Amino acid sequence: MRRTSWTAIALLLALLLIGGSVPRSIPARAHIIKSAVALPDFNFFAWELNALGRIFFAGEKPLQDGLDVETQVKLVRAYFERAKKIGEREGELRRLIAEESPVAAELSESGISVQPSGLGFSGMDPAGGAGHSPAVAEAHRELAALRRQQAAERSLVEEVIQLQVREEIRRAGLGLAGFVWPPVQFAFIEPPLKLTVSPRDRISTLHSRVLQAEYDPVTLEESERAIEDRTDLSAHISRIGGMAVFPAMVVESSSLEWVLETVAHEWVHHYLFLFPLGLRYASSDDATTLNETVSEIVGAEIAGRLTRRLYDTAQPSAEAASGSNEDGSCACSTADSWTRTYELEQSRWERYGRPLPFEFQRAMRETRLHVDTLLEAGLVETAETYMEGRRQFLVANGYPLRVLNQAYFAFHGSYGTDGAASDPIGPMLQRLRAESDDLAHFMGRVRWFTSSSDLEKSLQAD
């Protein structure tokens, strides 16, 4: 018994020593990153309590009284027209204040002031207190009235959009026996920020966290620099358009088409969480890209159908979207699937002795491909110098990117249809959608994927 006891103690000590010798780089890195970020983590628990309380206990059931389709469409259109007017009035108010205050003008030009969202949320008080001219006071009163009206109708508009998106999902055959599950639920909110950290010598997500929604460019840049200085990694803090918590968070925009697409996109995430693809969301970069790209494709198609059916706004068809990859092939290198189109267009323009006109997606994709080439060759500093030069080029062409680095591509590249992507998952999924009988057939195939190899096998089977 004594020998057994000593053996057990020795084994326990060995296990403790082994545990102590395990590399602690991951928790240590996470702690260093968290301490370097000036913004606190987003409180998801408080958000869920508030959002679910609104749904179940607020007693807001306005559609039970009945609103015909025409009335619903008018209500939604008026809401988004008002959102646009709010954005215009906020810009006008900032201009008036800047003209009256040299200090405010200087801050505005330097980008130090926190920019309002234009959503009707009380992120700032543009009047800035007493001492302003009657024009500023009048503009502020008008803006406050618009925001009050927007706030009064927000819950009803959310419910109408949920109903419309749910009906379009049902029409697409994505429900179960005519019943859409999970339910379409979202709330307009200024959503949190997303921190992405990548190695410098390759583009990959090493660490990510969700931060409180306080968009101040100076604070974000200080946090990014602090992370980079302390870890020698690449960091990027980005705004996001939505998040697939439940209810989904969606940025309130003046673009109805964009909101419909985002609501549908987040619902696809909710749906995929019931299947292997969604359950493996963050298990690898490929799994994340598969999830995000499927949600992009399906969300855009659902929103396009809904827009054409109810709002009569021109929207590219799913066939047109997928037709850009008519010669896409599984047997291609990472770069080939994206470079073919660019080289074809470049050759057409060179025949006439003119440069290719600027197009953001193409410029971003060209940048990503060259960065991949430089990093694969081990030229990290050259790649970083090149990215800064390209950022300035994009800014000069009207796209004011604050940061363009490895972490930027790690975040935006997870959307396979985005210009920041470079792997072939996006074109391959678009091809699979084109070869599927309909949207329900496409979703029935992709929801069981667990890796990009499943996508390749599915295409090869066709």
Side-chain angles (χ1 to χ4, degrees):
M1 288 181 63
R2 189 179 295 114
R3 279 199 303 271
T4 303
S5 299
W6 279 111
T7 301
I9 292 170
L11 286 172
L12 178 61
L13 288 171
L15 288 171
L16 290 173
L17 288 171
I18 291 171
S21 66
V22 172
R24 298 176 55 83
S25 60
I26 293 177
R29 182 175 64 210
H31 178 74
I32 292 170
I33 291 171
K34 185 174 182 179
S35 65
V37 177
L39 294 174
D41 288 348
F42 185 79
N43 190 335
F44 283 101
F45 182 71
W47 152 254
E48 289 291 346
L49 283 181
N50 180 59
L52 294 176
R54 238 181 86 193
I55 293 172
F56 294 112
F57 302 112
E60 296 176 353
K61 303 288 183 184
L63 290 185
Q64 286 186 351
D65 299 332
L67 285 178
D68 58 56
V69 173
E70 184 179 354
T71 303
Q72 292 177 18
V73 169
K74 287 181 179 177
L75 176 73
V76 172
R77 278 183 171 150
Y79 187 87
F80 281 87
E81 287 169 4
R82 195 180 307 117
K84 183 178 180 181
K85 190 178 293 185
I86 287 172
E88 293 170 351
R89 293 295 181 272
E90 285 181 338
E92 180 183 344
L93 191 54
R94 288 197 303 273
R95 180 183 59 79
L96 289 171
I97 294 173
E99 288 175 355
E100 291 184 11
S101 170
V103 174
E106 183 178 344
L107 290 175
S108 177
E109 290 173 3
S110 65
I112 292 178
S113 60
V114 179
Q115 297 299 312
S117 61
L119 315 178
F121 298 111
S122 55
M124 75 164 193
D125 178 7
H132 288 289
S133 69
V136 169
E138 177 59 31
H140 182 253
R141 280 193 293 270
E142 183 181 355
L143 182 57
L146 288 169
R147 284 174 168 170
R148 283 194 298 270
Q149 189 176 359
Q150 201 78 334
E153 295 185 6
R154 183 168 292 119
S155 294
L156 180 56
V157 169
E158 287 171 352
E159 192 165 352
V160 168
I161 291 175
Q162 287 168 182
L163 179 69
Q164 292 175 344
V165 173
R166 182 168 66 244
E167 172 60 17
E168 202 60 47
I169 290 170
R170 189 193 65 77
R171 284 169 173 254
L174 300 182
L176 301 172
F179 182 69
V180 175
W181 187 263
V184 180
Q185 289 284 351
F186 83 97
F188 284 128
I189 186 178
E190 183 66 12
L193 303 170
K194 179 71 175 289
L195 165 65
T196 304
V197 179
S198 168
R200 292 176 60 207
D201 61 353
R202 67 186 188 280
I203 293 171
S204 177
T205 300
L206 276 183
H207 178 92
S208 66
R209 63 190 320 112
V210 182
L211 307 174
Q212 188 170 303
E214 294 179 8
Y215 191 84
D216 179 353
V218 172
T219 302
L220 302 190
E221 288 175 9
E222 288 175 350
S223 296
E224 289 163 349
R225 279 200 211 94
I227 293 170
E228 291 167 356
D229 290 344
R230 298 180 194 182
T231 64
D232 196 31
L233 299 171
S234 173
H236 176 55
I237 302 174
S238 175
R239 279 173 165 163
I240 55 177
M243 181 166 283
V245 291
F246 191 86
M249 301 177 186
V250 175
V251 171
E252 187 170 5
S253 165
S254 60
S255 169
L256 170 60
E257 292 80 5
W258 183 87
V259 167
L260 294 177
E261 184 171 335
T262 304
V263 172
H265 175 112
E266 303 306 339
W267 177 84
V268 176
H269 279 304
H270 291 162
Y271 175 84
L272 291 176
F273 288 151
L274 304 175
F275 297 93
L277 179 59
L279 291 173
R280 290 177 175 265
Y281 179 91
S283 61
S284 68
D285 288 343
D286 277 0
T288 302
T289 300
L290 280 167
N291 273 274
E292 292 295 351
T293 309
V294 168
S295 298
E296 286 280 292
I297 291 171
V298 178
E301 189 165 342
I302 291 293
R305 293 180 180 188
L306 175 56
T307 302
R308 290 189 294 274
R309 181 168 65 86
L310 293 182
Y311 296 98
D312 196 27
T313 301
Q315 191 84 348
S317 66
E319 291 78 10
S322 60
S324 61
N325 290 315
E326 66 274 8
D327 64 342
S329 171
C330 292
C332 58
S333 70
T334 297
D336 283 348
S337 58
W338 287 129
T339 55
R340 283 199 194 103
T341 301
Y342 177 81
E343 290 174 351
L344 179 61
E345 293 178 6
Q346 183 73 56
S347 65
R348 286 172 180 166
W349 279 91
E350 285 175 351
R351 293 178 194 173
Y352 302 98
R354 289 178 292 175
L356 202 63
F358 179 83
E359 199 273 314
F360 177 79
Q361 289 285 84
R362 182 173 53 242
M364 184 58 74
R365 189 157 294 139
E366 179 186 7
T367 305
R368 172 64 193 269
L369 292 173
H370 192 55
V371 169
D372 285 344
T373 301
L374 292 172
L375 292 179
E376 287 170 7
L379 303 173
V380 176
E381 293 182 358
T382 303
E384 290 171 343
T385 301
Y386 170 72
M387 282 187 281
E388 175 56 22
R390 291 294 284 181
R391 185 192 71 80
Q392 295 176 15
F393 166 71
L394 293 167
V395 169
N397 279 277
Y399 291 86
L401 292 187
R402 189 178 56 80
V403 173
L404 185 61
N405 59 10
Q406 296 89 330
Y408 174 97
F409 283 118
F411 173 68
H412 291 278
S414 62
Y415 298 83
T417 57
D418 193 280
S422 67
D423 62 51
I425 288 177
M428 289 165 68
L429 280 170
Q430 288 175 322
R431 178 183 160 193
L432 186 67
R433 170 63 190 100
E435 294 175 357
S436 300
D437 296 337
D438 52 30
L439 203 55
H441 182 213
F442 174 71
M443 285 286 278
R445 301 168 78 178
V446 300
R447 66 191 181 187
W448 302 106
F449 291 171
T450 58
S451 66
S452 57
S453 63
D454 291 334
L455 171 59
E456 294 173 4
K457 292 174 184 175
S458 185
L459 285 169
Q460 288 168 0
D462 287 343

